[in-house]
Amino acid sequence: MSLADRLAAAGLSLPDYGRRDLGAVLSGALASVGAADAVAGRDAKADQSRLGLGSCRHVVVVLLDGLGKLQFAPWQGHTPFLRSVARKSLTSGYPSTTASSLALLGTGRPAGQTGMLGYTVRNPRTGALANLVSWHGAYDAHEWQPYPSLLETGTAAGIHVTAIGKQRFAGSGLTLAALRGGTFVGAEGIDARVDAALQAAKKPGVTYLYWAEIDKAGHHHGWGSDAWIAELEEAERGLRRLAASLPRGTAMVATADHGMVNIAGAPRWDVATDPVLGEGVALVAGEPRALHVHLRDGESVDVVAARWSEHLGEAAVVATRDEARAAGLFGVMDPHVEERVGDLVVAMTGRATVVDSRTQSPASLELVGVHGSLTPEELQVPLFVAEGAS
């Protein structure tokens, strides 16, 4: 049975690469402001159509970290504005995690090309883990992810491009890898970020605004918790104000980088203490819902894959690197990226996780909400489009 068939049988699905994926958002926004030629590797005009955008003087793109479509749906009563501007959903790429998704959004290219293959990835130069959020253990961001970002190519095409986020993100490894280019504006609070976006929208161009709070609440308290709902309501308030204050001829496009599953009470295996999973394994990268398993020299990939598959049963789909490449799990895969992919790639089903307590922090092992795999809850993200009316 092919990997695609095995994924489907387990309730998982491949991302909609090159069509209704996160890569369509900045691509379509640039096309909307007349800069389709600045987009390489995608059909920017088709992406503009997918977003439902006409010609705009300015587009503000908002990334709501952690707000999956299936998490948003039950709480639409708390968000009448967002409900009114919701459009057909998009998918993240694989893995459905922030570093990978921001690179897909920022470059229009999947993780198989950007090399942004998870929360942690094996650094082939050191053999150790590289954290692609903190950038600890990774090498120069321009080498790790060599493709230009869409913000970068938009700027080179003469478009006024602004990126807005907390000041600590300015010049970070993740920012340089996924969203380099344009003018960075540091703004700490939600209202300050909205104000900065409104200021940027006075000029023709594209603005990118990052919104972190929903994801943080989901990780620590679970999606659907009181803390999570409060952050969703804050997003409703902020985005309503943003859209209402944007001038005519502009638009707001909001989406998310991934969804989330709550894992309290769900099955969990620890490679550090499980002799079946630990046998023959040199390093585990990725995250608890989407793993890269690197084997010791001389180990049989097929034997270890069969052992993991039997041990985890219906809780996971275990694939070899070759199977992942053939199925397009990471999209088109560049040769230089292959060595960062695990000998085995493991996508979890349901709410199950596999951890490695030798390399994960105690805080990460206590998270309530996690993501990374290919369930609809993690893969599907909402799309909101509102035209400026001021």
Side-chain angles (χ1 to χ4, degrees), residues 131-183:
N131 186 309
L132 298 188
V133 174
S134 69
W135 217 250
H136 177 75
Y139 48 83
D140 179 78
H142 293 79
E143 292 185 68
W144 188 280
Q145 197 300 97
Y147 289 100
S149 83
L150 295 174
L151 301 184
E152 192 174 20
T153 57
T155 300
I159 302 299
H160 186 265
V161 174
T162 305
I164 301 168
K166 294 188 176 184
Q167 186 60 47
R168 70 175 184 272
F169 298 142
S172 72
L174 177 55
T175 297
L176 292 176
L179 292 154
R180 53 186 177 254
T183 301

Side-chain angles (χ1 to χ4, degrees), residues 284-309:
V284 176
E287 44 229 298
R289 295 279 298 165
L291 299 95
H292 294 275
V293 182
H294 296 272
L295 305 184
R296 298 193 184 106
D297 290 343
E299 293 290 337
S300 167
V301 173
D302 291 337
V303 169
V304 180
R307 184 161 61 237
W308 272 62
S309 185

Side-chain angles (χ1 to χ4, degrees), residues 25 30 53 60 64 86 102 114 116 162 173 178 250 263 266-267 271 293 301 340-341 345 347 356 379-380 383-384:
V25 178
L30 284 170
L53 283 176
V60 178
L64 299 164
L102 290 188
T114 65
M116 304 291 284
T162 305
T250 67
I263 59 170
V271 178
V293 182
V301 173
R340 304 179 200 174
V341 177
V345 177
D356 188 343
L379 192 65
Q380 295 180 16
L383 175 66
F384 309 104

Side-chain angles (χ1 to χ4, degrees), residues 10-42:
L12 309 180
S13 58
L14 291 169
D16 195 15
Y17 289 125
R19 293 179 292 271
R20 295 195 66 84
D21 67 350
L22 279 175
V25 178
L26 278 175
S27 170
L30 284 170
S32 177
V33 301
D37 290 344
V39 178
R42 296 190 67 97

